[in-house]
Amino acid sequence: MSSRRPIRPGIHTRGATEPEADALSPDLLREAFSRWASGVTVVAVRDEPHVAAITATAFTPVSIEPPLVLVCIGVNASVLPLLEPGARFAISILSEKQRRLASIFADTGPLGREYLERDGEPLVIGAPVGFACTVRDVHDGGDHSIVVARIDRLVLGDDAPPLLYCGREYRRLQ
Ligand SMILES: Cc1cc2nc3c(=O)[nH]c(=O)nc-3n(C[C@H](O)[C@H](O)[C@H](O)COP(=O)(O)O)c2cc1C
């Protein structure tokens, strides 16, 4: 009997062979995950007198009632220690015109803070959507933590087309 196991029942690669579970290398997974298209957000949290902020594509709307979203945050990300249950923070959805901000906030360091609201939650100024949130739960997610947050306040800006990310590139709709 063969000892080969599919990665998951019902999930197949395109060729005749299926990688064994052991063949789920980080590179293979990165390639698979890179084919997922998403929007782009900035997750920012005050750490007075500073603000920690990162670019994050692992954002998902979760619930209308109660209003919940989630974002997956890398275990080494600067913002993660600040996102304990009860912490207030901001998630901003970027428009296609804010592509440069996605690069700025993906960098480690303090650049780009002038693009965030100075008072209240550090939302990205001019973003099509801003969520002021409170962390509800933080779940283990392997090399990321899954942060489930309640939306306290919603800021709807211009209905500008969203910035997209797919295939390791920023893209526009169409
Ligand atoms: C397009 C893109 C999407 C990203 N998505 C996430 C994400 O969903 N979650 C996350 O923790 N980091 C994500 N990152 C990485 C962070 O933006 C950031 O680079 C990383 O946390 C290092 O910065 P830091 O030292 O300030 O934490 C993404 C980076 C890029 C360029």
Side-chain angles (χ1 to χ4, degrees):
M1 198 170 122
S2 165
S3 64
R4 290 176 69 88
R5 288 172 291 150
I7 300 169
R8 294 274 190 283
I11 297 181
H12 304 277
T13 54
R14 190 180 294 165
T17 56
E18 297 167 352
E20 296 186 29
D22 292 347
L24 273 180
S25 69
D27 282 350
L28 189 60
L29 279 171
R30 282 193 193 97
E31 174 59 28
F33 291 173
S34 78
R35 298 182 189 186
W36 172 249
S38 67
V40 182
T41 71
V42 172
V43 173
V45 54
R46 290 203 189 283
D47 184 20
E48 296 294 358
H50 307 291
V51 182
I54 66 165
T55 298
T57 50
F59 163 83
T60 303
V62 173
S63 165
I64 301 289
E65 289 181 8
L68 300 176
V69 294
L70 73 75
V71 63
C72 299
I73 304 293
V75 292
N76 296 319
S78 54
V79 293
L80 187 60
L82 303 169
L83 295 177
E84 293 185 333
R88 302 185 70 177
F89 71 109
I91 303 174
S92 305
I93 296 177
L94 297 185
S95 76
E96 63 178 27
K97 290 189 178 160
Q98 295 175 312
R99 186 217 167 291
R100 204 165 72 82
L101 298 190
S103 300
I104 290 173
F105 288 111
D107 274 350
T108 297
L111 290 181
R113 299 321 183 247
E114 67 272 27
Y115 298 104
L116 303 176
E117 297 279 1
R118 277 205 197 156
D119 300 317
E121 297 81 5
L123 296 163
V124 172
I125 297 165
V129 183
F131 300 106
C133 300
T134 300
V135 176
R136 188 170 115 147
D137 304 292
V138 181
H139 302 279
D140 174 45
D143 59 17
H144 281 59
S145 289
I146 304 161
V147 177
V148 178
R150 184 183 175 99
I151 300 167
D152 301 320
R153 190 165 64 92
L154 172 64
V155 179
L156 278 184
D158 288 346
D159 187 15
L163 180 63
L164 305 181
Y165 192 73
C166 185
R168 302 186 178 95
E169 286 180 6
Y170 296 103
R171 298 178 187 234
R172 294 167 177 238
L173 273 180
Q174 84 183 359

